[in-house]
Each structure stands twice: as C-alpha cells, then as structure tokens.
Amino acid sequence: MSSYLLLLFALVLFSLLAVVFRNMLLAALSLGAASVALTLILFALSAPWAAAFELSVCAGLITVLFVSAVSMIRKEELFLKEGRARFALLPFFLLLFGIGFWFFGDRLAVALRGMPGLVGEQAGVGVLLWSVRSHDLVGQLCIILAGVLVIKAFFGRGRD
Amino acid sequence: MNQGLVPFILLPALTAVIVPFMWRKSRPAGESLSALVLGLGLIAALMGIPLAAQLGAEFRAGRGMLPMLPFRGDELSILMLVTIFIISLASVFFSIFSLSQEEKRASYYSLILICAAGMAGVVTTGDFFTMYVFLEVVAVSSFALIAFSGDSEGIEGALKYLFLSAPASLLILLGVALLFLNTGGTSFSHLFQTATGGGGSRAGVLVALGLFACGFMVKAGLVPFHGWVPDAYQSSPAPISALLSGIITKVAGVYALIRMSMFLHAAPGYASVTRTLMFFGALSIVVGALAAMVQRDFKRLLAFSSISQVGYIVLSAGLGTPMALLGATFHLFNHATFKATLFLNGAAVERATGTRDMTKLGGLGSKMPWTTGTSVVAFLSTAGIPPLSGFWSKLIIIVALWVGGAKGYAIIALLASILTLGYFLILQRKIFFGKVVSFTEGAQEVAAGMLLPVVVLAALMIIIGLYFPFIYQLLLDPAAKALL
C-alpha cells in the first residue's frame, strides 16, 4: 500500500510542479513525470491497456510535442528565473492535499487493501510492453528521437 | 524475408542518430550517409516487389512479419515503401546540392531520416494505435522541417500545421479508443471482423470510423480541412515542400483512408462513410483546381494543385471497387513523382530568378532547358495527357467511377482534369515561355546535382506511362487484389 501512496504523492507533486514552474521546459517535463506516475498506478490497478496507452500518448507523445514546441520559443523567454513567490504556493497545495488525505485516507486505505502488490504487477509491465505492444515501443523510440532532434535543431540555432 | 520490413524503420532511425556525430568530422560524409541509407531502403523496397504476393498472403492470414516485432505489410505496403524512399532520397539529394552552407545542419538530414522511418512505420503496421504512434513521429519531424528556416513565415506555416494536425491526432486517438471499446482490439483485423459482422457494436464502430475519417482527412489536407496546406508548403524549404506534398500527406492521411475503404467495401452498412469520403474527395478536386487558377505564387499554385490531386485519390478510394482502388494507389504513386518534380523545379526557378511571383517571370525555357523540360513532363502527367503515367491513373479512376455507378463524380473528375490542364498551361506560359523579362535575364540552369532527381522522376513518369501493361502486371494488379 505504501507504494501506491508513494506513486499517488508523486502524481500530485509532479502535477503541481507542472502548474507552478514558470520555465516551460521544466513544466512540460513535470507533466511527463506525472504521466509516468499515473501509468504505474494504472498498471498496478490491473489496467495494463490503459497504462500502455497513457505511457505512449501522455508520457511519450504529448511530452515530446510540448518540449518540441517549447524549443522554438525564444531563449530569453524560455529560461525565466523561477520566482520564489510561486513556489511558496507549493506547500499550500501540499497542505490542502494532506487535509484531503486526512479526511479520505481511511477509505482509501480500505480500498487499497484489496489491491494486488505493486512489485508483483511491475513484472507484467515489461511483458505487456514487450510482447503485446512491442511495435509501439519502436515508435516511442522514434518519437523520442524526433523530439531530441527538434530540440537540437532549434536550441542549436538559439546558441548560434 | 520476414525480417525484411524492420530495416525500413530501424535503419533510417539509427542513421538519424549517427549523422550528427559524423557531421562534426565531415559534413559531406554525413550527407552522403543519409542519401546512402535512403538509397538502400529504396533498393530493399524494390527487392520486395517480387515478394509482394507472399508478404500479402501472410498479411491477410493475420500473421506478423517478424515474431518479435509484428510489423506487417502487403503489396500496398511495398508500393508505399518504394514511394517513401524515392521521394525522401530525391529530397535529400536535392538538399545536398541546393542548400547553402549556412542552411545545412545535421539535424535537418536526421529529421528527414526519422520522418522516413515514421512513414515506413505507418505503412507496415497492422494496428491503428501503432499507426497513430508513427503518425506522431511523422507529425513532429514534419513540424520541425517546415519551421527549419527559422523565419516568421516558416514558424507560421509550422504552427498552422501543428494546430490542425494536433486535433486530427486527437480525433484518430478517440477513434482508436472507441474501436478498442467496441471490438476488443485496435488491429486492422479487429475492425475487419467487426465490420463484416463478427460481433461488436456497429454504431460504435461507425462513430470510430467517422472520427478516423475526419482525422485522416485533416492530415491529407482535403477541403474543407486544407487550411494548413498552402502555408506549410509555401513556407518550408523546397525539398521539404516536395517531401510534404509528395509523400507525407499521402502516408499520414490518404494511405489510412485507402485502408479504411478496403475494409468498408466488403462490409454492408458502412456506405455512409465511403459516400462521405467520395463527397469530400470531389469537393477537393474542384476547390483545389479553382483556387490554383488564381494564384500568383507558384508554390501556392502547386499546393492547391496537390489538394485537387489528393481529391482524386480519395474520391476513387471512397468508391472502393478493385478498379477504383487500383486507380487510387496508382495515382498516389504518380502524384508523388510529379508533384515532387514540380516543387524541386520550383526551387530551381526561385534560386535562378530570386522570385516565386509568376507575374514577374517569363522566357525561362531558353535559359533553363532541363528544368523546363522536366516541368513540362510533370505538368502534362498531372493533367493526364497520354502516354505519361498520370494519364493511366486518371483514366483508371474515371473509368472506375463510371463503371461503379458514380457517373456524376466521373464527369466532375473529367472536367476538373481539363481545369488542371488549364492552370498548368497558364503556369507554363507565365514562367517558361514568352519573352525574357528583367527577373529572368541573368537566370542560368541549376547544377547537375539538383537536376538529377528531377530528371530521374521525369524519366519514371515517361517509362511508367510507356510500359504501363508491364507495371500493371508486376505491381498494380496484385496491389489492387490485395486491397480486397
């Protein structure tokens, strides 16, 4: 159960960071990390197809699209310094999440008690991705490569 | 043999990684490697032609081409692979000789390679979700290639492409989700089994197909979803315009529509989808041709002409009879060759004169004889003049429409063909014939390296036209049979 809570916490934290960051590149990457956390939760909750699609679409494609678009933005707009005032909101949101968890934590704990162990399910992640959706993995590698090339093309120009 | 299709994806993708490292040591080596790999891909695709029937039999039997990576392919896939690698190679070759040292970057060639890998992935998969993943590979790399010049025009074209392409991807993804919900899978065979009465919700599948059709029509640049096409073609570097018009829109949109028609023709109760495809195909033919007639910028004229020609392919694919599908696939290949030729020649004219405004041009025929000659061959082939390749594909389309009972559409296709001839005669007269004007006085023929791809493509149009019966027996007839 602690693994579920850890993933849930990671999901909330990365989602918040995606909103709070002024640097759009960091915001896009945070959103990608949140999607990865959600993917793992979906796998753990025995929804492997949803998890595979979440990983392909949200953690992979959408993140690459965001990062590619961000790479075209002018350098001075991209590397904005993070204002401390915005980060001051982070503890507030976490506090809000904590209060919510305080009220609903018991019910969540009951619900999670019947869930299969996370470690055992993780073995199925590789099996599903490699044996059932292996062709998507090739596509995923290609799209990540395309994203890297887009960043190289436009950031390279920015440095020139 | 079963592993034959994977190198079409992995080899260009891996080379895309290697080229930037090689670029640091030697630029020509990086460029040559890009061209070499695409050339190898083309040779491998051509070698697949004699095996096409066997590949198709395995595909139709529902078996993957490779146990580890279940990419699939049939006769249509082989034809598409040949087209992808011909046009990508022509674009890279033209880029090597046409781009200035400042314009050249390693990532440019890598992006073309990864785009080719993505396109190969689209045409060799038997699953709609995998197709979606590879479509996004094509979309991301195309988006970057359109904006590659980095100027405001390029960024605008790329953003228009992105803003229309992203919702289209969303529609396709929703379609995949609905297909999965209603058939229990996302593969072509799931759709085929459900469409032919093998269970699943017919209404749900119909909605999924509607979403697919909308998404793919946007990506194909059909009217009324064509807003991104003229700006993207106009603002991208010339070899990328050739790539976009020649093959990217075909693979990203038209290919999937042909595949859909293949399933729906055999299935009762889905006529509304095919009728819709035919309507938007015919609309694109007419609107594209009329809009092309009033353009001053020749790249925009070629863009609207592409919309019109894609309309022919979709109209024919929508009908779905064997002859119509044969016409659609053959015209797809032909359009790739003649439109790539015209865009590359357009770049040669722009380089020689410094303008794309047709009202400022004239008399280039004597100054640029090779560019003029290959352009005239491409114009005539586009307009469907015998004995060039475009004549045969248009003839097959029009006859298929007439025989298939769509006589109204056949007449529209025929009349629009006359319009095509009209706007190309205008373009020809304004650019290549007439008196030499101030902009064209100092024009000279471009380098032999830039001419080679267009000469080869023009030769293909003539050879395919003259040897049509042989080409028909070797590739087209098996491809058409495979579609049904």
Side-chain angles (χ1 to χ4, degrees), chain B residues 154-165:
Chain B
I155 302 275
E156 186 187 340
L159 286 176
K160 278 190 179 172
Y161 173 73
L162 188 69
F163 287 149
L164 276 166
S165 178

Side-chain angles (χ1 to χ4, degrees), chain A residues 71-119:
Chain A
S71 70
M72 295 178 73
I73 295 168
R74 282 182 297 166
K75 216 165 73 172
E76 58 267 29
E77 288 177 12
L78 183 62
F79 296 108
L80 290 172
K81 287 183 179 173
E82 297 298 341
R84 288 186 179 180
R86 287 171 152 265
F87 278 98
L89 291 172
L90 197 57
F92 169 74
F93 282 121
L94 286 174
L95 185 69
L96 208 64
F97 175 68
I99 292 169
F101 188 72
W102 179 270
F103 279 102
F104 298 104
D106 288 347
R107 272 186 249 175
L108 188 67
V110 171
L112 292 179
R113 207 163 286 147
M115 298 287 175
L118 197 61
V119 179

Side-chain angles (χ1 to χ4, degrees), chain A residues 15-58:
Chain A
S15 305
L16 279 175
L17 286 174
V19 179
V20 169
F21 275 134
R22 286 182 75 194
N23 182 323
M24 284 192 276
L25 189 62
L26 289 177
L29 292 174
S30 300
L31 200 59
S35 289
V36 171
L38 183 58
T39 299
L40 291 173
I41 291 170
L42 289 168
F43 267 119
L45 294 176
S46 304
W49 283 92
F53 291 163
E54 171 71 20
L55 186 68
S56 290
V57 179
C58 298

Side-chain angles (χ1 to χ4, degrees), chain B residues 72 88 90 118 170 179 275 288 290 360:
Chain B
R72 294 174 180 189
S88 304
L170 186 68
L179 187 70
R275 275 203 299 267
L290 289 174
K360 293 176 181 171

